[in-house]
């Protein structure tokens, strides 16, 4: 469960302007990440108009999102951002080629994509791309999906313990830098930080590393992280 879901209910985000503005501000990293990927270059707030377009699409996603449709919000917002940017660049190309009123720019992509129109095929394409990216990332640590199936904890207590370790690993910049630099978990440092027994950490090493990869790169894996993280919701305002 994304951390922001502990702070905001969807009804509050739709009705409470200050809450929405706070959520939009907190989501700027995700918005910039998705927009930069869609544009194939690094974008900066205050410099690139594409980020303003992406922010508009993200705000529209809040209005259109329905919680019980079985689609992660960030996956839905990601598609709206990409669609709006495709439309934006299409308009820019037309403006560069001919002088024409905006109303006459021709058929545009519908960025007001309702969840009922967010069809299963489109969701499957998004999931498949995440799986492809994650499989490639796992290989850099000599891991496969089959490894994860074999080492995934069967009991809830064990799973929660290893999830806690993965969260500590992913969100501690110094620890995660060591993972990226050396290609392995700094087990002693993680044990000190989490106070989890070394044998427990060692048995769950592959699982911890894979989950930490999802969390450290959570803007790329909005579907996969839904499968891994607990579904229970925290208190909401």
């Amino acid at each position: 469960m994304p951390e922001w879901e502990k702070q905001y209910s969807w009804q509050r985000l739709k009705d409470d302007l200050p809450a929405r503005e706070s959520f939009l501000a907190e989501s700027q990293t995700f918005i910039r990440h998705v927009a930069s990927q869609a544009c194939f270059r690094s974008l900066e707030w205050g410099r690139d108009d594409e980020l303003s377009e992406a922010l508009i699409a993200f705000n529209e996603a809040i209005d259109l999102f329905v919680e019980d449709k079985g689609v992660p919000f960030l996956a839905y917002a990601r598609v709206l951002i990409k669609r709006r940017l495709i439309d934006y660049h299409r308009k820019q190309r037309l403006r560069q080629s001919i002088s024409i009123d905006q109303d006459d720019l021709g058929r545009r992509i519908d960025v007001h994509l309702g969840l009922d129109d967010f069809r299963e095929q489109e969701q499957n394409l998004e999931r498949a791309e995440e799986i492809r990216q994650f499989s490639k990332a796992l290989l850099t640590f000599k891991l496969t999906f089959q490894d994860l199936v074999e080492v995934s904890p069967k009991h809830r207590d064990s799973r929660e313990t290893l999830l806690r370790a993965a969260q500590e690993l992913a969100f501690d910049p110094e620890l995660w830098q060591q993972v990226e630099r050396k290609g392995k978990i700094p087990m002693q440092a993680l044990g000190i930080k989490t106070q989890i027994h070394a044998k427990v950490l060692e048995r769950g090493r592959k699982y911890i590393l894979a989950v930490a990869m999802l969390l450290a790169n959570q803007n790329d894996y909005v579907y996969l992280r839904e499968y891994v993280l607990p579904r229970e919701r925290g208190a909401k305002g």
Side-chain angles (χ1 to χ4, degrees):
M1 175 178 61
E3 288 300 313
W4 48 263
E5 289 194 14
K6 298 178 182 179
Q7 303 176 47
Y8 306 107
S9 68
W10 281 109
Q11 199 57 48
R12 183 183 175 197
L13 286 175
K14 292 176 187 291
D15 299 338
D16 184 339
L17 183 58
R20 180 184 291 228
E21 289 177 345
S22 294
F23 179 51
L24 290 172
E26 293 169 13
S27 302
Q28 285 191 4
T29 298
F30 172 81
I31 295 168
R32 178 176 176 269
H33 179 82
V34 173
S36 294
Q37 282 194 328
C39 295
F40 301 101
R41 62 187 178 88
S42 179
L43 302 176
E44 297 295 338
W45 293 102
R47 184 192 71 187
D48 296 298
D49 291 340
E50 287 91 339
L51 286 176
S52 296
E53 296 292 325
L55 184 62
I56 291 170
F58 191 90
N59 190 50
E60 289 173 343
I62 297 173
D63 290 325
L64 296 169
F65 186 70
V66 180
E67 192 172 8
D68 60 0
K69 291 290 185 176
V71 177
F73 169 74
L74 294 181
Y76 178 58
R78 184 169 63 187
V79 170
L80 261 65
I81 290 171
K82 289 178 179 179
R83 286 191 170 209
R84 189 173 191 97
L85 289 173
I86 289 171
D87 186 52
Y88 170 79
H89 284 123
R90 183 170 293 174
K91 290 179 182 178
Q92 292 300 107
R93 286 195 296 271
L94 283 170
R95 288 196 184 97
Q96 291 170 5
S97 61
I98 53 175
S99 177
I100 191 168
D101 291 338
Q102 186 167 337
D103 291 339
D104 297 325
L105 285 174
R107 185 177 181 276
R108 62 192 295 275
I109 293 175
D110 181 13
V111 296
H112 296 280
L113 179 68
L115 279 170
D116 290 336
D117 299 320
F118 190 45
R119 304 199 183 280
E120 184 176 353
Q121 182 178 7
E122 191 153 15
Q123 294 182 55
N124 288 342
L125 288 173
E126 287 274 301
R127 289 192 186 97
E129 177 59 21
E130 281 195 12
I131 291 170
R132 186 192 67 79
Q133 289 185 17
F134 191 53
S135 295
K136 186 176 179 180
L138 284 172
L139 287 176
T140 64
F141 294 97
K142 300 180 180 179
L143 295 175
T144 66
F145 270 110
Q146 184 59 38
D147 290 329
L148 304 189
V149 172
E150 294 172 357
V151 301
S152 293
K154 304 298 187 293
H155 300 292
R156 179 176 177 178
D157 289 348
S158 298
R159 184 169 60 252
E160 289 180 349
T161 297
L162 297 184
L163 280 172
R164 179 166 65 86
Q167 289 171 330
E168 295 286 357
L169 179 62
F171 298 136
D172 184 309
E174 185 176 342
L175 291 181
W176 188 247
Q177 285 173 12
Q178 291 186 55
V179 173
E180 293 183 317
R181 187 169 63 250
K182 298 180 179 179
K184 61 182 181 180
I185 299 173
M187 300 296 281
Q188 184 176 1
L190 184 61
I192 293 172
K193 185 175 180 63
T194 62
Q195 295 299 298
I196 297 172
H197 198 281
K199 289 184 178 179
V200 174
L201 292 177
E202 182 57 38
R203 283 197 301 268
R205 178 179 58 81
K206 292 181 179 180
Y207 182 80
I208 292 169
L209 180 55
V211 173
M213 288 170 62
L214 289 178
L215 296 175
N217 302 281
Q218 56 188 306
N219 292 334
D220 289 319
Y221 303 124
V222 295
Y223 277 107
L224 291 176
R225 72 192 302 278
E226 290 279 322
Y227 300 142
V228 171
L229 298 185
R231 299 295 301 172
E232 295 85 354
R233 298 195 180 275
K236 295 180 179 181

